[in-house]
Amino acid sequence: MPDEPHPQAKALLEQLDAQNAPPTYGVTPEVAREQFRRLTAEMEPTEVGDVADFAIEGPEGPIPIRAYVPEGEGTFPVLVYYHGGGWVIGGLDEYENVTSAICDRAGVVVLSVDYRLAPEHPFPAQLEDAYAALVWASEFAGDISGDPERVAVGGDSAGGNLAAAVSLLARDRGGPDIDHQSLIYPAVASPIIHDFDSYEENAEGYFLERRSIEWFYERWLPSELHARNEYAAPLLARDLSDLPSATVVTAGFDPLRDEGSSYADRLSEAGVPVHHEHYDDMIHGFASMTELLDTAHAAVDVVADEVAQALDA
């Protein structure tokens, strides 16, 4: 592993330091959300065939969805995508550069899910919304040029957590069939049980800091009991067999590096086909920094290629 991040990532970190903005763990959720909106404002989406905003019925009210449909005619496979942001920040706009790029490069309909956020809606609200979006895709994707028989799930960071958890939940409930799970630096460990070297090695200075992770978990998980729930921390699951094939992306200078790698290993040991792509000179969140990091495009290409192959797009 290199001694420091890629020069482009290092320059980005220096630029962020120069802004003298308060850290996520030093502000309210509302301020953190606005800071994140400003950070991602310059990320440009990829042009696709069509973009449509609508809402589906959720367990506690409407769930906003943004559908990205590829150019061309026909019925396309579907990727249900859950954005990152520690279950507290982030939304459809902040990640449309990633979701639109996957749509274009994989040739799939991407359903970006605007699930409820903590602390206003703690666990399991996000998982309930995420699962409801999967169920909707398996029933109604045909209405938006999608194929309800070819569905994958995916997400980054907290969204990677939701994609992994939805895959477990669908298996355990006998729910919709999922053909693939795309897990981009997923948060899959329990904050009170697991401990990894990457938490200490990358505790501060690399965009996502350990104190911010703790801040997110404190707002998302209302009790230690929830932190022991395998649907909150999929790495706790004793049985990972019979799950969809997986693409797992990890970054060397990321506190979540080791838990993502561990989950990829556990899936493989359980007989699940896994493609683990590791970028040893990258930081957490790099895949969505498409205007700043060349490697972001390489990671999105890997995810898109794997989704396309799994769904026979």
Side-chain angles (χ1 to χ4, degrees):
M1 180 170 163
D3 294 332
E4 59 184 24
H6 186 280
Q8 286 185 332
K10 187 177 179 183
L12 169 62
L13 293 171
E14 291 170 352
Q15 180 182 345
L16 292 174
D17 276 346
Q19 292 179 0
N20 291 320
T24 300
Y25 54 82
V27 297
T28 65
E30 293 79 11
V31 171
R33 290 165 188 162
E34 180 56 33
Q35 286 183 336
F36 193 60
R37 277 192 287 268
R38 290 200 298 268
L39 177 66
T40 59
E42 296 182 4
M43 303 300 168
E44 291 292 331
T46 300
E47 187 173 340
V48 298
D50 189 29
V51 180
D53 287 335
F54 55 92
I56 65 172
E57 192 62 45
E60 296 292 337
I63 303 172
I65 301 286
R66 181 168 296 164
Y68 301 84
V69 182
E71 299 239 9
E73 299 294 328
T75 301
F76 303 97
V78 179
L79 171 66
V80 184
Y81 193 88
Y82 312 114
H83 67 77
W87 310 276
V88 176
I89 65 177
L92 303 182
D93 293 340
E94 289 88 335
Y95 285 86
E96 65 176 354
N97 61 320
V98 175
T99 46
S100 61
I102 295 174
C103 167
D104 178 63
R105 298 176 197 180
V108 301
V109 171
V110 177
L111 299 179
S112 186
V113 183
D114 200 10
Y115 55 83
R116 287 172 288 168
L117 297 177
E120 296 89 342
H121 305 282
F123 176 83
Q126 297 72 29
L127 179 57
E128 292 172 345
D129 287 357
Y131 189 78
L134 168 67
V135 171
W136 186 92
S138 72
E139 295 179 0
F140 301 110
D143 294 342
I144 51 168
S145 301
D147 182 353
E149 299 297 322
R150 293 185 290 165
V151 177
V153 295
D156 60 287
S157 195
N161 165 282
L162 294 174
V166 162
S167 297
L168 283 169
L169 196 57
R171 180 200 65 182
D172 295 346
R173 285 184 176 177
D177 289 334
I178 300 173
D179 294 301
H180 191 70
Q181 50 182 326
S182 299
L183 312 178
I184 307 172
Y185 27 79
V188 289
S190 168
I192 65 169
I193 294 175
H194 297 108
D195 193 21
F196 293 101
D197 291 343
S198 57
Y199 294 161
E200 188 63 34
E201 293 172 11
N202 302 318
E204 57 183 25
Y206 300 116
F207 186 63
L208 176 65
E209 300 192 336
R210 186 167 188 172
R211 287 185 66 183
S212 292
I213 295 172
E214 293 167 351
W215 184 90
F216 286 129
Y217 273 115
E218 286 167 1
R219 280 144 190 79
W220 180 51
L221 296 178
S223 74
E224 284 197 3
L225 181 64
H226 291 88
R228 298 178 184 277
N229 187 321
E230 67 184 48
Y231 299 122
L235 201 51
L236 291 175
R238 294 182 180 180
D239 179 13
L240 295 179
S241 63
D242 300 319
L243 289 173
S245 62
T247 303
V248 181
V249 173
T250 52
F253 292 90
D254 181 359
L256 305 187
R257 178 194 70 208
D258 292 351
E259 65 190 79
S261 295
S262 179
Y263 198 65
D265 291 344
R266 289 271 323 277
L267 286 170
S268 183
E269 290 164 4
V272 175
V274 176
H275 178 98
H276 180 195
E277 194 80 13
H278 179 66
Y279 298 86
D280 62 359
D281 60 357
M282 281 292 116
I283 59 175
H284 187 83
F286 80 93
S288 58
M289 300 175 185
T290 51
E291 301 298 310
L292 304 168
L293 304 174
D294 293 339
T295 309
H297 295 281
V300 171
D301 282 344
V302 167
V303 171
D305 289 347
E306 290 284 306
V307 167
Q309 184 176 340
L311 296 178
D312 194 23

